[in-house]
Amino acid sequence: MVFLGGNGQIVKKEAIYNIGGWDGFAITEDLNLSIRLMIDRFAIRYCGEACVYQEAVPNWKQLFRQRTRWAIGNFETLFIYTPKIIKSKIPVFRTFGIIEHVAFYGLNLFIFFGFIVLGLNIISYFYLNDFIIKMNAPLIIGMVSAFGFFPGVIVTLNRDNISIPQIFKGIVGYWLYSFHLIPLFFITCYQMLTRKERTWAKTLHLGKDEDLKPENMGEIKGKMKKFKIGKNIEAKVNYDSK
């Protein structure tokens, strides 16, 4: 299954009208829109040639703030739309793919918890000649997930036709990166249980361009600035626009 992703998406206006309009209360609006389009049997296609740039968050605090919003949106979509997905006329294999994608944060929590238990048991067996954690389920999860996690990442990376060393680097990097999902899960649960209303946590963007600093904005208002977004593509931004 292919899902809409942030600023790297184009959607037909007719399709949005057809599914009843935009959901202004969705925490992760792209995922929400994807699910509703799929339930109504619209096709979403992946374009590997498209190159879309976005600014990364500047620090760990903002990273967790952004990812927490994503996780809350995923869980809300899972709870709200799973019955509708199951009842829809989507083929069984695709239905499984949709639910697996929406349940990403919860599934990865179990996967990486299993890896941690597996690692601790290997270390304890080496030094103490015994397993420090007597839990067969996380041990099995850790072993089985290795056969589910890594092939999935390989298939995803291979879509972009990159070299084998790059694929290997991407696998290891993404595996290490994904360990942040463990504390993220607990932060997400806490915020879902304690929040009083649904709010959209805006991601902090600073801009790398010196001209974009607040003290310089008055000087460049009305000017056009050129910048390259690819080998043969140039773009312009008008600072008068919002």
Side-chain angles (χ1 to χ4, degrees):
M1 298 303 296
V2 180
F3 293 79
L4 302 172
N7 55 355
Q9 64 187 41
I10 299 174
V11 185
K12 287 185 176 181
K13 181 172 66 175
E14 293 81 3
I16 296 178
Y17 280 134
N18 213 304
I19 63 173
W22 189 264
D23 185 354
F25 291 98
I27 302 297
T28 48
E29 67 286 346
D30 47 5
L31 181 62
N32 176 281
L33 186 59
S34 300
I35 298 297
R36 292 167 64 208
L37 288 170
M38 290 175 183
I39 290 174
D40 276 31
R41 309 299 296 275
F42 281 95
I44 302 176
R45 306 209 179 275
Y46 170 74
C47 178
E49 293 76 22
C51 187
V52 182
Y53 289 84
Q54 68 178 22
E55 182 187 346
V57 289
N59 53 54
W60 280 103
K61 181 179 179 181
Q62 292 300 325
L63 176 73
F64 272 93
R65 189 168 184 264
Q66 181 190 58
R67 297 302 193 270
T68 299
R69 176 171 63 83
W70 291 2
I72 290 174
N74 269 62
F75 283 124
E76 286 188 346
T77 304
L78 179 67
F79 298 149
I80 294 170
Y81 286 100
T82 295
K84 296 180 182 179
I85 293 168
I86 294 173
K87 292 178 182 178
S88 69
K89 297 180 180 179
I90 303 172
V92 175
F93 184 74
R94 288 192 175 189
T95 298
F96 174 79
I98 294 170
I99 295 174
E100 188 273 337
H101 180 87
V102 176
F104 169 80
Y105 285 96
L107 291 173
N108 271 334
L109 172 72
F110 288 109
I111 289 172
F112 289 100
F113 178 68
F115 275 124
I116 289 175
V117 172
L118 178 61
L120 290 173
N121 276 336
I122 291 173
I123 294 171
S124 67
Y125 188 80
F126 181 78
Y127 285 102
L128 305 175
N129 206 26
D130 192 15
F131 293 126
I132 192 172
I133 302 177
K134 307 290 186 179
M135 295 174 68
N136 290 329
L139 182 69
I140 295 170
I141 290 172
M143 296 174 67
V144 172
S145 63
F147 294 97
F149 176 82
F150 292 109
V153 178
I154 292 171
V155 170
T156 302
L157 292 171
N158 194 49
R159 278 180 172 180
D160 295 325
N161 297 318
I162 59 178
S163 65
I164 293 177
Q166 286 177 313
I167 290 177
F168 180 76
K169 181 181 178 183
I171 292 170
V172 175
Y174 185 71
W175 183 73
L176 292 172
Y177 158 81
S178 294
F179 274 94
H180 83 282
L181 294 169
I182 296 173
L184 179 69
F185 177 82
F186 293 103
I187 294 171
T188 300
C189 289
Y190 173 77
Q191 289 199 10
M192 290 183 72
L193 291 171
T194 58
R195 65 181 179 156
K196 296 179 180 179
E197 59 180 349
R198 299 170 71 183
T199 56
W200 193 85
K202 182 173 174 57
T203 302
L204 176 67
H205 291 297
L206 301 176
K208 292 183 178 180
D209 194 324
E210 289 295 316
D211 291 340
L212 292 177
K213 288 187 176 180
E215 59 267 26
N216 297 332
M217 287 302 288
E219 300 174 9
I220 62 171
K221 190 174 181 181
K223 292 183 180 179
M224 298 292 288
K225 184 172 181 65
K226 290 184 178 180
F227 58 95
K228 286 190 175 292
I229 58 173
K231 288 183 178 179
N232 303 310
I233 305 173
E234 285 192 351
K236 293 182 179 180
V237 58
N238 187 341
Y239 291 125
D240 275 338
S241 65
K242 294 181 181 179

